[in-house]
Amino acid sequence: MKQYTHFIGGEHHSGTSGRTSDVFNPSTGVKSAEVPLASASEVETAIAVAEAAFPAWSATSVLQRSRIMTKFTALLYQHQPELAKLVSLEHGKVIEDAMGSVLRGIEVAEFSCGIPHLQKGEFSDNVAGGIDLYAMRKPLGVVAGITPFNFPAMIPLWMACMAMATGNTVVLKPSEKDPGCPMRLAELFVEAGGPAGVFNVVNGDKVAVDTLLHDSRIKAVSFVGSTPIAQYVYETATKNGKRCQAMGGAKNHMLILPDADLESVANALMGAAFGSAGERCMAISVGVCVGDEVADKLVKMLTPRVKALKIGTSLEKNLEMGPLVTKEHRAKVMDYIQMGVDEGADLVVDGRDFVLEGSEEGYFLGGSLFDNVKKGMTSYEEEIFGPVLQLMRVQTFEEGMALASDHQYGNGTSIFTRNGAAARTYADRVEVGMVGINVPIPVPLAFYSFGGWKASAFGDHNQFGAEAVRFYTKVKTVTSRWPESTIAADFSIPTLK
Ligand code: NAD
């Protein structure tokens, strides 16, 4: 059985707190590893090491940082299958999906190689007689990343690559449920020539998170996880004077207009609702049908497909869905399904009885499909984060758009239609951060940025893209004069002429 460590200053350190957490293979239910849960003093050691690495790293030329990120990117590509296997074994998502999720992280590493261009400042020549004015983007210092279980490669890469490329040093606290991949990322950074101490990983739980949130040497915190913890992290970090971006949960609606190609809609819903067993913050969990005819047809089309989902152990090829991440999470999803039934929604397909022969101890659930889900039901208002698709029926476009706009979450949404004007109005007016038009999972590419609205994100900056350069740097402006003659005294506020 594997014993995970912390990765501090380019070396593995066994945990000394005496506390550990078990890591399981969700496909079999067998314990595969133990991960140490850091004490406050172990986290403080990592912060001290990262702080000591900061002066040299931030003074490293931007071209040299870019070269290291380029080597790191190349190594990530080379190790993509190995990283995907780690993701698949500890998270449970099927291997092709795990490969894709690693790629989406590598794309941010690739984007960060352009840091010489991205981190350029501004310069104004001769703003007054002989005075030049310029602005620089300086790194912040030691920054923390705190990540969820569902993307153990992609989200650590979102944070660490942009933080390091801009000259910061990092303490990453990944999810204790699947810590194998994040650890490997930090090792590969060192293998790529990244200096020891720039990318550190401490494994842990609330104790580690709270230490990061309270330590004055941590200048910024990037968090992704559930909304209650995101809000707690945001409030605590900002109260302690830190910059913070904290992404939370989601409930993503797909609005389906009567003119949409329903075959495409059904295909999109299958992938977006059940891919990764619904454990994606950009999963479509609600299909909003405009008109009963659309709903009736979709129920008919989806029912046999949900019943026939290809489910198996995560390393098998050509599957549609693997297990859920933990036994506890599966139980929580099952509770939400029961809640939906109790609240009066129609459970058309019930995935709770699914058993995978030969893997009876795995954390499997079949796909579930609800019809006639209504606003106000708790199972609709809250995030389920499992393989459950809820269909709702409305009579108008406006009514459908209002559902997405009024929901507490506002991460992603999509509209399926052939009507360009309706699609444009939806993209323009819906109160959600990321919108897809005939695209079910609108995760922006690395050169844009990722972030939801409302209870799906706290803070002002999105993840990756130019937004991340702004998040991980502070602006310094310099007003400069090299006079050829003596400077005269001036007692009024400088007004540059
Ligand atoms: P989580 O909130 O339970 O955990 C996230 C991180 O916070 C982990 O590192 C965990 O160790 C830590 N943590 C957990 N409880 C804590 C506490 N009480 N105090 C301090 N730290 C704590 O989330 P999860 O279950 O790992 O991930 C799933 C959630 O993440 C879902 O809600 C999903 O929607 C969300 N998510 C959001 C996005 C996004 O960009 N909006 C992306 C991926 C996942």
Side-chain angles (χ1 to χ4, degrees):
M1 197 184 54
K2 263 187 271 183
Q3 290 288 342
Y4 284 121
T5 59
H6 308 297
F7 190 76
I8 302 172
E11 288 170 358
H12 290 273
H13 292 254
S14 301
T16 55
S17 71
R19 295 189 309 126
T20 58
S21 181
D22 295 338
V23 180
F24 294 92
N25 178 343
S27 295
T28 59
V30 173
K31 178 175 163 180
S32 60
E34 259 176 20
V35 62
L37 301 176
S39 62
S41 73
E42 288 172 293
V43 179
E44 281 158 9
T45 301
I47 298 171
V49 166
E51 191 186 36
F54 177 68
W57 179 242
S58 56
T60 299
S61 79
V62 70
L63 267 180
Q64 182 57 13
R65 291 203 308 267
S66 162
R67 284 187 193 114
I68 290 171
M69 295 314 293
T70 305
K71 279 194 201 145
F72 183 40
T73 303
L75 273 183
L76 290 170
Y77 272 120
Q78 195 181 320
H79 290 265
Q80 189 185 353
E82 175 204 339
L83 295 168
K85 192 171 169 193
L86 274 172
V87 171
S88 184
L89 278 174
E90 294 188 349
H91 173 282
K93 63 179 81 188
V94 297
I95 188 71
E96 291 93 343
D97 186 33
M99 278 293 278
S101 76
V102 174
L103 179 65
R104 294 309 297 264
I106 299 176
E107 285 168 0
V108 175
E110 206 161 29
F111 174 76
S112 77
C113 302
I115 201 65
H117 176 72
L118 294 166
Q119 206 173 344
K120 278 196 296 201
E122 294 173 311
F123 188 93
S124 294
D125 169 37
N126 201 28
V127 290
I131 293 183
D132 301 327
L133 179 59
Y134 59 96
M136 301 178 272
R137 289 209 159 264
K138 297 296 222 179
L140 305 176
V142 186
V143 300
I146 302 162
T147 54
F149 77 81
N150 68 327
F151 285 107
M154 182 179 87
I155 295 178
L157 285 171
W158 284 1
M159 297 173 181
C161 292
M162 294 308 296
M164 296 189 300
T166 44
N168 300 279
T169 55
V170 173
V171 178
L172 174 72
K173 205 303 284 172
S175 170
E176 60 276 38
K177 295 185 181 121
D178 43 15
C181 191
M183 183 66 81
R184 201 64 198 109
L185 299 175
E187 288 171 355
L188 289 173
F189 179 73
V190 171
E191 218 177 291
V198 171
F199 189 170
N200 307 281
V201 180
V202 284
N203 284 302
D205 55 4
K206 183 170 168 55
V207 173
V209 171
D210 283 344
T211 308
L212 292 167
L213 296 180
H214 287 93
D215 194 302
S216 61
R217 293 167 294 179
I218 296 287
K219 301 302 178 200
V221 176
S222 180
F223 173 91
V224 177
S226 59
T227 287
I229 311 297
Q231 187 163 4
Y232 165 74
V233 164
Y234 183 76
E235 285 170 1
T236 313
T238 51
K239 201 164 71 195
N240 287 312
K242 302 177 197 315
R243 195 174 282 194
C244 185
Q245 54 177 191
M247 275 60 191
K251 191 90 179 185
N252 304 317
H253 298 62
M254 179 195 285
L255 184 62
I256 305 142
L257 299 195
D259 67 353
D261 168 20
L262 288 190
E263 198 56 47
S264 298
V265 170
N267 288 338
L269 281 173
M270 289 303 298
F274 300 107
S276 196
E279 294 167 325
R280 289 185 187 134
C281 63
M282 289 292 276
I284 291 288
S285 41
V286 181
V288 182
C289 306
V290 178
D292 286 327
E293 200 185 327
V294 170
D296 291 340
K297 280 186 188 158
L298 268 180
V299 169
K300 218 165 158 189
M301 292 164 88
L302 289 170
T303 301
R305 294 183 66 173
V306 177
K307 284 182 177 162
L309 272 166
K310 282 192 255 164
I311 303 171
T313 56
S314 64
L315 292 184
E316 279 176 67
K317 295 256 160 63
N318 301 318
L319 292 179
E320 292 167 336
M321 207 171 95
L324 281 90
V325 67
T326 58
K327 196 189 271 187
E328 294 73 26
H329 188 59
R330 182 182 58 175
K332 185 174 153 194
V333 174
M334 287 168 82
D335 288 348
Y336 271 116
I337 296 172
Q338 187 56 46
M339 186 190 290
V341 173
D342 295 343
E343 289 176 319
D346 298 333
L347 184 57
V348 183
V349 183
D350 184 352
R352 287 175 294 179
D353 294 334
F354 178 87
V355 178
L356 184 70
E357 222 174 288
S359 285
E360 288 77 7
E361 300 305 313
Y363 312 139
F364 291 96
L365 264 186
S368 292
L369 177 67
F370 276 104
D371 188 12
N372 286 309
V373 171
K374 300 267 187 321
K375 193 174 158 77
M377 292 178 174
T378 306
S379 58
Y380 164 70
E381 301 296 342
E382 295 182 359
E383 178 184 46
I384 299 178
F385 218 55
V388 181
L389 175 60
Q390 297 171 301
L391 294 181
M392 303 179 83
R393 293 167 180 243
V394 294
Q395 296 315 315
T396 64
F397 168 84
E398 288 290 339
E399 213 187 319
M401 181 161 65
L403 281 172
S405 288
D406 295 346
H407 200 280
Q408 63 160 330
Y409 293 117
N411 215 37
T413 184
S414 73
I415 178 168
F416 271 64
T417 179
R418 290 188 173 97
N419 180 334
R424 189 175 186 284
T425 302
Y426 193 72
D428 183 41
R429 285 177 39 206
V430 70
E431 289 288 318
V432 174
M434 292 172 281
V435 182
I437 297 174
N438 297 317
V439 170
I441 305 183
V443 176
L445 285 166
F447 37 96
Y448 280 77
S449 71
F450 183 103
W453 287 6
K454 300 180 284 184
S456 293
F458 302 86
D460 301 322
H461 290 289
N462 278 1
Q463 301 276 348
F464 62 80
E467 281 278 287
V469 178
R470 288 189 276 275
F471 180 73
Y472 287 117
T473 58
K474 54 190 174 188
V475 175
K476 180 180 277 183
T477 49
V478 180
T479 308
S480 152
R481 171 159 63 187
W482 290 97
E484 286 174 354
S485 54
T486 306
I487 300 168
D490 186 351
F491 294 92
S492 53
I493 182 139
T495 51
L496 302 179
K497 296 175 196 92

